[in-house]
Amino acid sequence: MFIEIISPDDGYKNPHHGMVNIEFVHQIKIIRGRHRQYELHINLSNSPSIELLGTKEECEQFYEELKQILKTHKQLSTTDTLVFPPRSPSKPSADENEEAS
């Protein structure tokens, strides 16, 4: 099964957009980087690792999402998409409601 990992370049220095065969994922880990940044490393057995930079919370949330996919991949469709940094569940704000009017 393949997953699509997207890390858009909005303030991060490591945009990534690509398909990953989860059968080649052999390790995922969070590493504390420089200047309060964290790195999520997705180590692959058949190619260089994917390194995603973000906050501790973003890395932990994405780690949990990826771990869930790895646990249940047989029950999912043939392709899933993950976006890093993960989007927080958005709450409609007063500003958004005013713009919609």
Side-chain angles (χ1 to χ4, degrees):
M1 181 184 134
F2 287 85
I3 57 171
E4 182 178 22
I5 297 179
I6 301 170
S7 178
D9 186 20
D10 41 336
Y12 295 94
K13 294 184 179 180
N14 61 335
H16 177 83
H17 188 147
M19 302 296 287
V20 175
N21 184 335
I22 65 171
E23 292 184 21
F24 294 118
V25 174
H26 70 88
Q27 184 182 43
I28 42 178
K29 59 185 175 180
I30 298 173
I31 297 173
R32 186 172 181 164
R34 297 181 188 165
H35 310 296
R36 296 187 179 188
Q37 281 281 43
Y38 283 77
E39 301 174 9
L40 179 71
H41 288 242
I42 303 169
N43 294 326
L44 305 169
S45 60
N46 68 337
S47 64
S49 66
I50 297 169
E51 298 172 2
L52 304 170
L53 301 177
T55 65
K56 181 179 180 182
E57 293 78 20
E58 290 169 344
C59 288
E60 288 173 346
Q61 182 182 348
F62 195 79
Y63 175 90
E64 289 302 319
E65 289 177 17
L66 183 55
K67 195 164 72 170
Q68 279 302 106
I69 287 175
L70 293 172
K71 280 166 105 176
T72 62
H73 72 276
K74 293 191 188 289
Q75 300 167 20
L76 298 175
S77 64
T78 57
T79 302
D80 201 4
T81 299
L82 291 176
V83 176
F84 184 88
R87 304 295 179 232
S88 301
S90 60
K91 297 176 185 173
S93 67
D95 294 339
E96 289 176 355
N97 290 338
E98 289 175 10
E99 290 176 9
S101 302

